Amino acid sequence: MALNRDFVGRTYSPSTPYEVSRVKIREFAAAIGDNNPLYRDKEAAQAAGYPDVIAPPTFPIVFSLQSGGEALVDPDLGLNLAMVVHGEQRFEYVRQVCAGDQLVTTATITDIRTAGRNELLTVRSEVTTVDGEPVCVTYNTIVERGGAG
């Protein structure tokens, strides 16, 4: 069964900001096997011109889909979560994500399409500080395997 195309254009925002912590950055860096000192050592990050440790480039995946997650579990969308895999992601940065940032993500479903027997759902998430300063934009494609037909 095809996903509900009426969801294209819907926008979702979380009720609370995501607080970036040194601990979460360190855990994420460890999980991806990246020992860059800018992700672990505040003094090294400050020497490089940052206010605190910075997050690895793919770190926003931790929180960027949370605001769109409301749509993904909406039964009216018709997404079978048991058949979902992560298809693609990319990031466009205005500035680095740093420990201490309070970030707000506004996610919009920008596309739903069929590719063979799969349904592809694309979410564009704008990440800003609570004061409205742009940080990055993430693009995530979710694939429901064998959903079309």
Side-chain angles (χ1 to χ4, degrees), residues 53-103:
V53 296
I54 61 171
T58 56
F59 182 81
I61 196 64
V62 170
F63 57 86
S64 65
L65 278 179
Q66 287 178 348
S67 55
E70 180 183 333
L72 302 182
V73 296
D74 186 327
D76 291 335
L77 174 62
L79 184 66
N80 180 352
L81 292 173
M83 299 302 291
V84 167
V85 294
H86 188 213
E88 179 182 3
Q89 70 184 22
R90 69 183 170 93
F91 305 87
E92 294 174 356
Y93 275 89
V94 175
R95 71 157 177 86
Q96 287 292 147
V97 172
C98 297
D101 281 343
Q102 297 268 338
L103 302 176

Short mmCIF file of all heavy atoms in Angstrom, two decimals, residues 53-103:
data_model
loop_
_atom_site.label_atom_id
_atom_site.label_comp_id
_atom_site.label_asym_id
_atom_site.label_seq_id
_atom_site.Cartn_x
_atom_site.Cartn_y
_atom_site.Cartn_z
N VAL A 53 33.51 22.04 22.82
CA VAL A 53 33.70 20.93 21.89
C VAL A 53 32.63 21.00 20.80
O VAL A 53 31.52 21.49 21.02
CB VAL A 53 33.67 19.55 22.60
CG1 VAL A 53 34.82 19.41 23.57
CG2 VAL A 53 32.35 19.28 23.27
N ILE A 54 32.99 20.53 19.63
CA ILE A 54 32.06 20.52 18.50
C ILE A 54 31.58 19.09 18.26
O ILE A 54 32.22 18.13 18.70
CB ILE A 54 32.67 21.12 17.22
CG1 ILE A 54 33.91 20.32 16.77
CG2 ILE A 54 33.00 22.59 17.43
CD1 ILE A 54 34.44 20.73 15.41
N ALA A 55 30.48 18.98 17.56
CA ALA A 55 29.91 17.67 17.25
C ALA A 55 30.40 17.21 15.88
O ALA A 55 30.64 18.02 14.99
CB ALA A 55 28.39 17.76 17.26
N PRO A 56 30.54 15.89 15.70
CA PRO A 56 30.85 15.37 14.37
C PRO A 56 29.77 15.80 13.36
O PRO A 56 28.62 16.05 13.74
CB PRO A 56 30.83 13.85 14.57
CG PRO A 56 31.10 13.65 16.03
CD PRO A 56 30.44 14.83 16.71
N PRO A 57 30.12 15.85 12.09
CA PRO A 57 29.19 16.36 11.08
C PRO A 57 27.85 15.65 11.00
O PRO A 57 26.84 16.26 10.66
CB PRO A 57 29.97 16.20 9.77
CG PRO A 57 31.40 16.17 10.16
CD PRO A 57 31.44 15.55 11.52
N THR A 58 27.80 14.36 11.32
CA THR A 58 26.53 13.63 11.22
C THR A 58 25.74 13.62 12.53
O THR A 58 24.66 13.03 12.59
CB THR A 58 26.78 12.17 10.77
OG1 THR A 58 27.70 11.56 11.68
CG2 THR A 58 27.32 12.13 9.34
N PHE A 59 26.21 14.31 13.55
CA PHE A 59 25.55 14.34 14.86
C PHE A 59 24.08 14.77 14.80
O PHE A 59 23.25 14.23 15.55
CB PHE A 59 26.33 15.24 15.82
CG PHE A 59 25.76 15.30 17.21
CD1 PHE A 59 26.01 14.29 18.12
CD2 PHE A 59 24.98 16.37 17.62
CE1 PHE A 59 25.50 14.34 19.41
CE2 PHE A 59 24.46 16.44 18.89
CZ PHE A 59 24.71 15.41 19.80
N PRO A 60 23.69 15.72 13.97
CA PRO A 60 22.27 16.14 13.97
C PRO A 60 21.26 15.03 13.69
O PRO A 60 20.08 15.21 13.97
CB PRO A 60 22.21 17.23 12.89
CG PRO A 60 23.58 17.82 12.92
CD PRO A 60 24.49 16.62 13.13
N ILE A 61 21.70 13.88 13.20
CA ILE A 61 20.77 12.77 13.01
C ILE A 61 20.18 12.34 14.35
O ILE A 61 19.06 11.83 14.41
CB ILE A 61 21.43 11.57 12.27
CG1 ILE A 61 20.38 10.61 11.72
CG2 ILE A 61 22.43 10.86 13.13
CD1 ILE A 61 19.49 11.18 10.67
N VAL A 62 20.91 12.60 15.44
CA VAL A 62 20.45 12.24 16.78
C VAL A 62 19.12 12.90 17.11
O VAL A 62 18.25 12.29 17.72
CB VAL A 62 21.52 12.63 17.84
CG1 VAL A 62 20.99 12.50 19.25
CG2 VAL A 62 22.79 11.83 17.65
N PHE A 63 18.94 14.14 16.68
CA PHE A 63 17.74 14.88 17.07
C PHE A 63 16.90 15.38 15.89
O PHE A 63 15.74 15.74 16.08
CB PHE A 63 18.10 16.07 17.97
CG PHE A 63 19.09 17.02 17.35
CD1 PHE A 63 18.66 18.04 16.53
CD2 PHE A 63 20.45 16.87 17.58
CE1 PHE A 63 19.56 18.91 15.94
CE2 PHE A 63 21.36 17.74 17.00
CZ PHE A 63 20.92 18.76 16.19
N SER A 64 17.44 15.40 14.70
CA SER A 64 16.72 16.04 13.58
C SER A 64 15.46 15.30 13.17
O SER A 64 14.50 15.91 12.71
CB SER A 64 17.63 16.27 12.39
OG SER A 64 18.05 15.04 11.84
N LEU A 65 15.44 14.00 13.32
CA LEU A 65 14.24 13.25 12.94
C LEU A 65 13.20 13.20 14.05
O LEU A 65 12.07 12.78 13.82
CB LEU A 65 14.60 11.83 12.50
CG LEU A 65 15.07 11.68 11.07
CD1 LEU A 65 15.42 10.24 10.76
CD2 LEU A 65 14.04 12.19 10.09
N GLN A 66 13.58 13.63 15.26
CA GLN A 66 12.61 13.59 16.35
C GLN A 66 11.38 14.43 16.05
O GLN A 66 10.27 14.02 16.33
CB GLN A 66 13.26 14.07 17.66
CG GLN A 66 14.23 13.07 18.23
CD GLN A 66 14.90 13.57 19.49
OE1 GLN A 66 14.83 14.74 19.83
NE2 GLN A 66 15.58 12.68 20.17
N SER A 67 11.56 15.61 15.48
CA SER A 67 10.40 16.46 15.21
C SER A 67 9.54 15.88 14.10
O SER A 67 8.33 16.04 14.11
CB SER A 67 10.82 17.89 14.89
OG SER A 67 11.74 17.92 13.83
N GLY A 68 10.14 15.19 13.15
CA GLY A 68 9.36 14.54 12.10
C GLY A 68 8.83 13.19 12.52
O GLY A 68 7.98 12.61 11.86
N GLY A 69 9.34 12.69 13.66
CA GLY A 69 8.93 11.39 14.14
C GLY A 69 7.44 11.27 14.42
O GLY A 69 6.85 10.20 14.28
N GLU A 70 6.83 12.38 14.78
CA GLU A 70 5.39 12.42 15.01
C GLU A 70 4.64 11.96 13.77
O GLU A 70 3.69 11.21 13.84
CB GLU A 70 4.99 13.85 15.39
CG GLU A 70 3.53 14.06 15.67
CD GLU A 70 3.22 15.52 15.98
OE1 GLU A 70 4.10 16.25 16.47
OE2 GLU A 70 2.08 15.93 15.71
N ALA A 71 5.10 12.40 12.61
CA ALA A 71 4.46 12.01 11.35
C ALA A 71 4.70 10.55 11.05
O ALA A 71 3.80 9.85 10.58
CB ALA A 71 4.98 12.86 10.21
N LEU A 72 5.91 10.07 11.33
CA LEU A 72 6.26 8.70 10.97
C LEU A 72 5.42 7.66 11.70
O LEU A 72 5.19 6.57 11.19
CB LEU A 72 7.75 8.44 11.22
CG LEU A 72 8.72 9.36 10.48
CD1 LEU A 72 10.15 8.97 10.79
CD2 LEU A 72 8.46 9.37 8.98
N VAL A 73 4.93 8.01 12.89
CA VAL A 73 4.11 7.06 13.65
C VAL A 73 2.62 7.34 13.51
O VAL A 73 1.80 6.63 14.09
CB VAL A 73 4.51 7.03 15.15
CG1 VAL A 73 5.94 6.53 15.30
CG2 VAL A 73 4.33 8.38 15.80
N ASP A 74 2.25 8.34 12.73
CA ASP A 74 0.83 8.66 12.50
C ASP A 74 0.23 7.55 11.63
O ASP A 74 0.68 7.32 10.51
CB ASP A 74 0.70 10.02 11.81
CG ASP A 74 -0.74 10.49 11.67
OD1 ASP A 74 -1.64 9.64 11.51
OD2 ASP A 74 -0.95 11.71 11.72
N PRO A 75 -0.79 6.85 12.14
CA PRO A 75 -1.37 5.75 11.34
C PRO A 75 -1.92 6.20 10.00
O PRO A 75 -1.99 5.41 9.06
CB PRO A 75 -2.47 5.18 12.24
CG PRO A 75 -2.58 6.07 13.42
CD PRO A 75 -1.43 7.02 13.43
N ASP A 76 -2.31 7.47 9.87
CA ASP A 76 -2.85 7.97 8.61
C ASP A 76 -1.79 8.06 7.51
O ASP A 76 -2.11 8.10 6.33
CB ASP A 76 -3.51 9.33 8.79
CG ASP A 76 -4.80 9.24 9.60
OD1 ASP A 76 -5.42 8.15 9.61
OD2 ASP A 76 -5.17 10.25 10.22
N LEU A 77 -0.50 8.10 7.89
CA LEU A 77 0.58 8.09 6.89
C LEU A 77 0.65 6.73 6.22
O LEU A 77 0.90 6.63 5.03
CB LEU A 77 1.92 8.45 7.54
CG LEU A 77 3.15 8.35 6.65
CD1 LEU A 77 3.06 9.31 5.45
CD2 LEU A 77 4.42 8.63 7.46
N GLY A 78 0.45 5.67 7.00
CA GLY A 78 0.47 4.32 6.44
C GLY A 78 1.85 3.69 6.37
O GLY A 78 2.06 2.75 5.61
N LEU A 79 2.79 4.18 7.16
CA LEU A 79 4.16 3.67 7.15
C LEU A 79 4.26 2.42 8.02
O LEU A 79 3.85 2.44 9.18
CB LEU A 79 5.12 4.75 7.68
CG LEU A 79 6.61 4.44 7.65
CD1 LEU A 79 7.10 4.32 6.20
CD2 LEU A 79 7.38 5.54 8.37
N ASN A 80 4.78 1.35 7.46
CA ASN A 80 5.00 0.12 8.20
C ASN A 80 6.41 0.18 8.78
O ASN A 80 7.39 -0.11 8.09
CB ASN A 80 4.84 -1.10 7.28
CG ASN A 80 5.06 -2.40 8.02
OD1 ASN A 80 5.48 -2.44 9.16
ND2 ASN A 80 4.78 -3.49 7.32
N LEU A 81 6.52 0.57 10.05
CA LEU A 81 7.84 0.76 10.68
C LEU A 81 8.69 -0.50 10.68
O LEU A 81 9.92 -0.42 10.67
CB LEU A 81 7.68 1.30 12.09
CG LEU A 81 7.13 2.73 12.18
CD1 LEU A 81 6.85 3.11 13.62
CD2 LEU A 81 8.08 3.72 11.53
N ALA A 82 8.07 -1.66 10.65
CA ALA A 82 8.82 -2.92 10.62
C ALA A 82 9.58 -3.09 9.31
O ALA A 82 10.54 -3.87 9.25
CB ALA A 82 7.88 -4.09 10.84
N MET A 83 9.18 -2.36 8.28
CA MET A 83 9.82 -2.49 6.97
C MET A 83 10.70 -1.29 6.61
O MET A 83 11.14 -1.15 5.48
CB MET A 83 8.74 -2.67 5.89
CG MET A 83 7.90 -3.93 6.09
SD MET A 83 8.89 -5.45 6.12
CE MET A 83 9.41 -5.52 4.43
N VAL A 84 10.97 -0.40 7.58
CA VAL A 84 11.69 0.84 7.32
C VAL A 84 13.19 0.67 7.49
O VAL A 84 13.65 0.04 8.44
CB VAL A 84 11.17 1.97 8.25
CG1 VAL A 84 12.08 3.18 8.24
CG2 VAL A 84 9.76 2.37 7.84
N VAL A 85 13.93 1.23 6.54
CA VAL A 85 15.38 1.36 6.65
C VAL A 85 15.73 2.81 6.34
O VAL A 85 14.97 3.54 5.70
CB VAL A 85 16.14 0.40 5.70
CG1 VAL A 85 15.93 -1.04 6.09
CG2 VAL A 85 15.78 0.64 4.25
N HIS A 86 16.90 3.21 6.82
CA HIS A 86 17.38 4.57 6.57
C HIS A 86 18.04 4.58 5.20
O HIS A 86 18.99 3.85 4.96
CB HIS A 86 18.36 4.96 7.67
CG HIS A 86 18.76 6.38 7.62
ND1 HIS A 86 20.01 6.81 7.98
CD2 HIS A 86 18.09 7.49 7.27
CE1 HIS A 86 20.08 8.11 7.85
NE2 HIS A 86 18.93 8.54 7.42
N GLY A 87 17.53 5.40 4.29
CA GLY A 87 18.01 5.38 2.92
C GLY A 87 19.17 6.31 2.65
O GLY A 87 20.17 5.91 2.06
N GLU A 88 19.06 7.55 3.07
CA GLU A 88 20.07 8.55 2.71
C GLU A 88 19.98 9.70 3.70
O GLU A 88 18.92 9.99 4.25
CB GLU A 88 19.78 9.06 1.30
CG GLU A 88 20.72 10.11 0.79
CD GLU A 88 20.35 10.59 -0.61
OE1 GLU A 88 19.32 10.16 -1.17
OE2 GLU A 88 21.09 11.44 -1.12
N GLN A 89 21.10 10.36 3.91
CA GLN A 89 21.10 11.59 4.70
C GLN A 89 22.19 12.51 4.18
O GLN A 89 23.20 12.06 3.64
CB GLN A 89 21.31 11.32 6.18
CG GLN A 89 22.70 10.84 6.54
CD GLN A 89 22.84 10.49 8.00
OE1 GLN A 89 21.87 10.20 8.68
NE2 GLN A 89 24.05 10.50 8.50
N ARG A 90 21.95 13.81 4.33
CA ARG A 90 22.98 14.80 4.03
C ARG A 90 22.73 16.03 4.88
O ARG A 90 21.63 16.22 5.41
CB ARG A 90 23.07 15.12 2.55
CG ARG A 90 21.93 15.87 1.95
CD ARG A 90 22.14 16.06 0.43
NE ARG A 90 20.94 16.56 -0.18
CZ ARG A 90 20.69 17.84 -0.37
NH1 ARG A 90 21.57 18.75 -0.01
NH2 ARG A 90 19.56 18.23 -0.92
N PHE A 91 23.77 16.82 5.02
CA PHE A 91 23.73 17.98 5.91
C PHE A 91 24.32 19.18 5.20
O PHE A 91 25.34 19.06 4.52
CB PHE A 91 24.57 17.70 7.18
CG PHE A 91 24.16 16.44 7.89
CD1 PHE A 91 24.69 15.21 7.54
CD2 PHE A 91 23.22 16.48 8.90
CE1 PHE A 91 24.31 14.05 8.19
CE2 PHE A 91 22.83 15.32 9.57
CZ PHE A 91 23.38 14.10 9.20
N GLU A 92 23.68 20.33 5.39
CA GLU A 92 24.21 21.61 4.90
C GLU A 92 24.40 22.50 6.12
O GLU A 92 23.43 22.83 6.81
CB GLU A 92 23.23 22.27 3.93
CG GLU A 92 23.04 21.51 2.64
CD GLU A 92 21.97 22.12 1.75
OE1 GLU A 92 21.30 23.10 2.16
OE2 GLU A 92 21.77 21.59 0.65
N TYR A 93 25.66 22.86 6.38
CA TYR A 93 25.98 23.60 7.60
C TYR A 93 26.13 25.10 7.38
O TYR A 93 26.71 25.53 6.39
CB TYR A 93 27.29 23.07 8.21
CG TYR A 93 27.06 21.88 9.09
CD1 TYR A 93 27.07 20.60 8.57
CD2 TYR A 93 26.80 22.05 10.43
CE1 TYR A 93 26.84 19.51 9.37
CE2 TYR A 93 26.56 20.96 11.25
CZ TYR A 93 26.58 19.70 10.72
OH TYR A 93 26.34 18.62 11.52
N VAL A 94 25.62 25.87 8.34
CA VAL A 94 25.89 27.29 8.44
C VAL A 94 27.02 27.48 9.44
O VAL A 94 27.93 28.27 9.25
CB VAL A 94 24.63 28.08 8.88
CG1 VAL A 94 24.94 29.55 9.10
CG2 VAL A 94 23.51 27.90 7.87
N ARG A 95 26.97 26.70 10.52
CA ARG A 95 28.03 26.68 11.53
C ARG A 95 28.02 25.33 12.25
O ARG A 95 27.07 24.56 12.14
CB ARG A 95 27.86 27.82 12.53
CG ARG A 95 26.68 27.65 13.50
CD ARG A 95 26.96 28.48 14.75
NE ARG A 95 25.93 28.50 15.73
CZ ARG A 95 25.78 27.58 16.71
NH1 ARG A 95 26.54 26.52 16.76
NH2 ARG A 95 24.83 27.72 17.61
N GLN A 96 29.10 25.06 12.98
CA GLN A 96 29.23 23.81 13.73
C GLN A 96 28.21 23.74 14.86
O GLN A 96 27.85 24.76 15.45
CB GLN A 96 30.63 23.69 14.34
CG GLN A 96 31.73 23.40 13.37
CD GLN A 96 31.62 22.01 12.78
OE1 GLN A 96 31.98 21.83 11.64
NE2 GLN A 96 31.16 21.03 13.50
N VAL A 97 27.81 22.54 15.19
CA VAL A 97 27.03 22.28 16.39
C VAL A 97 28.03 22.18 17.54
O VAL A 97 29.02 21.44 17.45
CB VAL A 97 26.22 20.97 16.26
CG1 VAL A 97 25.56 20.61 17.59
CG2 VAL A 97 25.20 21.08 15.15
N CYS A 98 27.80 22.94 18.62
CA CYS A 98 28.72 22.97 19.77
C CYS A 98 28.01 22.55 21.04
O CYS A 98 26.80 22.76 21.19
CB CYS A 98 29.26 24.38 19.98
SG CYS A 98 30.24 25.01 18.62
N ALA A 99 28.78 21.98 21.96
CA ALA A 99 28.25 21.68 23.29
C ALA A 99 27.69 22.97 23.87
O ALA A 99 28.28 24.04 23.72
CB ALA A 99 29.33 21.11 24.18
N GLY A 100 26.54 22.85 24.51
CA GLY A 100 25.88 24.01 25.09
C GLY A 100 24.80 24.60 24.20
O GLY A 100 23.98 25.39 24.66
N ASP A 101 24.79 24.23 22.93
CA ASP A 101 23.73 24.72 22.03
C ASP A 101 22.37 24.22 22.49
O ASP A 101 22.23 23.07 22.91
CB ASP A 101 23.96 24.24 20.59
CG ASP A 101 25.01 25.02 19.83
OD1 ASP A 101 25.35 26.13 20.25
OD2 ASP A 101 25.47 24.49 18.79
N GLN A 102 21.39 25.09 22.38
CA GLN A 102 19.98 24.72 22.58
C GLN A 102 19.36 24.82 21.18
O GLN A 102 19.22 25.91 20.65
CB GLN A 102 19.30 25.71 23.53
CG GLN A 102 19.87 25.73 24.91
CD GLN A 102 19.13 24.78 25.83
OE1 GLN A 102 17.98 24.43 25.58
NE2 GLN A 102 19.78 24.36 26.88
N LEU A 103 19.01 23.67 20.60
CA LEU A 103 18.61 23.64 19.20
C LEU A 103 17.15 23.26 19.02
O LEU A 103 16.61 22.43 19.74
CB LEU A 103 19.50 22.66 18.43
CG LEU A 103 20.99 22.98 18.48
CD1 LEU A 103 21.79 21.90 17.77
CD2 LEU A 103 21.28 24.34 17.89
#
